[in-house]
Amino acid sequence: MNAKFFTLPKERQQAILNAGYHVFSKNSYKKTPVSEVAAAAGISKSLLFYYFRNKQELYLFLWENCIRATVRSMNAYHCYSQTNLFEMIERGMHAKMHLMHEYPDMGNFAVRAFYEEDPAVAPAIHESYKAFQNADAKDALESLDPSQFKDGLDLQMMYREMYLAAEGYLWEMLRHTPIDSHAVEQDFDRMIRFWKQLYLK
């Protein structure tokens, strides 16, 4: 990647990233031409390739920006300093909703990228996500107060069950309609209330 991308004004960087998220969220990696990303960003294809050497580099940069932006937002909302799991989840939800306002198509892109099967990008995405997920789960579980949960509950299994439910929900949303941040927030509020009844003393 050309470091001159980072010398662009922040709003120009964000416009290019949002163009990438928007275009790549509509179709598979293989079927998405870079010319569409350039057109959405209002720049020439040659200029886009000046900042990113090829489509693979652009796509993986978009993915890594998802990870970095998510961690930054989660830290800003103090998600990992909570000892109450559901407070952590609620703060995490609001952190991600904030990201969806900054990058409207990032959520759609991230879910589609997670399920991308093209060998040009899939291995790097899965390796990156695995490292992020392991660190995320470790931080979450280590900060919990076990006394708030029902006796004998396997906290690791509980956390994984909630994680998989959330991932499945987002994938279902992506399959049927563009992600509506307001609807997501309402649905997660209902899921959190359900999990509280199920797991808390």
Side-chain angles (χ1 to χ4, degrees):
M1 177 185 175
N2 192 326
K4 288 190 176 181
F5 175 76
F6 293 108
T7 68
L8 291 171
K10 290 293 183 184
E11 61 272 16
R12 196 73 195 109
Q13 291 182 38
Q14 187 168 334
I16 293 172
L17 295 176
N18 274 331
Y21 289 133
H22 177 72
V23 174
F24 279 117
S25 71
K26 302 297 182 184
N27 215 328
S28 68
Y29 171 79
K30 185 176 182 178
K31 293 181 179 180
T32 303
V34 174
S35 58
E36 288 189 14
V37 178
I43 61 176
S44 67
K45 182 178 174 181
S46 60
L47 183 56
L48 186 60
F49 277 141
Y50 174 70
Y51 296 128
F52 302 94
R53 289 177 297 178
N54 50 46
K55 182 165 83 166
Q56 179 190 47
E57 185 174 82
L58 170 61
Y59 194 89
L60 293 177
F61 181 83
L62 290 169
W63 170 260
E64 289 299 330
N65 187 65
C66 285
I67 299 291
R68 289 191 298 269
T70 298
V71 170
R72 185 168 61 246
S73 189
M74 297 283 275
N75 284 330
Y77 277 78
H78 306 289
C79 298
Y80 299 126
S81 61
Q82 306 304 310
T83 58
N84 182 297
L85 175 64
F86 300 103
E87 176 70 18
M88 182 190 302
I89 292 173
E90 288 182 66
R91 286 174 179 262
M93 176 187 65
H94 291 301
K96 290 174 182 177
M97 293 303 103
H98 171 80
L99 274 182
M100 290 178 74
H101 291 296
E102 186 176 358
Y103 299 102
D105 295 293
M106 179 186 277
N108 290 3
F109 168 84
V111 176
R112 185 175 290 280
F114 179 78
Y115 290 100
E116 178 59 60
E117 297 180 350
D118 195 297
V121 294
I125 287 172
H126 293 161
E127 193 64 31
S128 170
Y129 186 78
K130 183 179 178 182
F132 169 73
Q133 181 193 11
N134 288 344
D136 183 52
K138 182 175 182 291
D139 289 341
L141 292 171
E142 286 182 352
S143 63
L144 294 184
D145 174 12
S147 67
Q148 64 189 298
F149 300 102
K150 292 180 179 178
D151 294 336
L153 189 63
D154 185 330
L155 296 184
Q156 190 166 5
M157 181 66 74
M158 176 198 67
Y159 184 82
R160 180 160 177 77
E161 182 271 332
M162 290 191 292
Y163 164 79
L164 291 174
E167 288 295 308
Y169 167 78
L170 289 174
W171 176 240
E172 191 67 19
M173 289 281 286
L174 179 62
R175 289 176 58 197
H176 296 292
T177 181
I179 294 178
D180 179 339
S181 61
H182 182 66
V184 170
E185 196 163 359
Q186 288 184 323
D187 286 344
F188 268 91
D189 279 338
R190 286 194 290 268
M191 283 194 282
I192 288 169
R193 288 196 297 271
F194 173 74
W195 286 329
K196 284 181 177 179
Q197 292 174 348
L198 191 63
Y199 295 125
L200 292 181
K201 287 182 178 177

